[in-house]
Amino acid sequence: WMSAQPDTDALSAFLAAVDKRFSGRKVLAWRCLLDKDESNYVTYSEFEDGCRQLHFFGNVAGCYRCLDEDLNGYLTLRELDPEADHMLAAF
C-alpha cells in the first residue's frame, strides 16, 4: 500500500459503500467494521478485512493511501471522519 498512488475515485466508492451500509454513520463503520480490536488504529490488514466484509473490491491500496496521508502505517478516526473525531475528543 505504501507504494500505491492515492486513488480518490476508490476513496469515493469506499465512502459511498460505507454510507450505504451504515446509513452515513462513519463512526459505526469504524467501530463495527474497521477497528474491531478497539485499538483506535486501523492497519492496512484490518482495512483490507473491513473492505472484504463491506464487499468493496475496488482499489483498496489506493483508497488506504488516500486516507493515510501521513504514511504512518495506520488510520485513525480523525483520518476517516475528522468531525466525529473532534466531537468525540471534546466529549
Side-chain angles (χ1 to χ4, degrees):
W1 67 267
M2 288 187 85
S3 62
Q5 293 297 313
D7 186 341
T8 57
D9 291 335
L11 176 60
S12 294
F14 170 77
L15 293 175
V18 165
D19 285 346
K20 182 177 179 182
R21 175 141 175 218
F22 293 96
S23 302
R25 296 174 292 185
K26 291 180 187 141
V27 172
L28 186 58
W30 176 263
R31 301 300 287 164
C32 296
L33 187 70
L34 299 173
D35 187 26
K36 288 185 173 183
D37 65 359
E38 298 181 2
S39 65
N40 294 316
Y41 298 100
V42 173
T43 64
Y44 181 69
S45 177
E46 290 173 313
F47 187 75
E48 278 184 310
D49 290 344
C51 286
R52 275 192 292 277
Q53 291 175 14
L54 186 62
H55 301 284
F56 173 74
F57 301 107
N59 182 357
V60 175
C63 179
Y64 190 86
R65 180 62 181 83
C66 278
L67 291 168
D68 189 21
E69 291 179 355
D70 57 5
L71 295 174
N72 62 4
Y74 58 84
L75 303 178
T76 63
L77 180 58
R78 179 179 297 161
E79 290 167 303
L80 179 66
D81 189 345
E83 184 178 329
D85 180 71
H86 179 74
M87 287 176 35
L88 289 171
F91 184 71

